[in-house]
Amino acid sequence: MFYEVINDFVDLEDNKTYYKVGERYPKGKLKPTKKRIKELTTEYKKYKKVFIKEIEELSEE
């Protein structure tokens, strides 16, 4: 599965990697857990935002 960033954030579980809107999640070789994906695809209570959404295909850049 592929994910797209929909709100900028710093991923503390990925060496404090900064993710900007429109970028692919995750970067590099990170293999996020199902729990982490759920945290980022549902409204994060502390910030009241969703940070990533699932996408079907990666667009050609």
Side-chain angles (χ1 to χ4, degrees):
M1 286 188 209
F2 299 106
Y3 300 91
E4 180 180 345
V5 177
I6 56 174
N7 281 297
D8 295 354
F9 70 102
V10 174
D11 192 348
L12 301 178
E13 294 186 14
D14 185 12
N15 273 341
K16 297 182 182 176
T17 300
Y18 179 67
Y19 287 92
K20 297 187 296 184
V21 171
E23 291 183 329
R24 187 177 89 185
Y25 178 84
K27 294 180 181 177
K29 296 180 181 183
L30 177 72
K31 300 275 187 187
T33 63
K34 289 180 183 180
K35 178 182 175 189
R36 185 64 175 156
I37 294 296
K38 185 175 180 179
E39 288 173 348
L40 295 172
T41 56
T42 56
E43 186 175 293
Y44 208 84
K45 291 181 183 181
K46 183 176 179 181
Y47 302 107
K48 298 183 181 169
K49 292 183 179 182
V50 175
F51 293 102
I52 62 173
K53 69 176 180 177
E54 186 177 343
I55 54 175
E56 292 184 22
E57 295 181 18
L58 289 176
S59 60
E60 296 290 324
E61 292 184 10

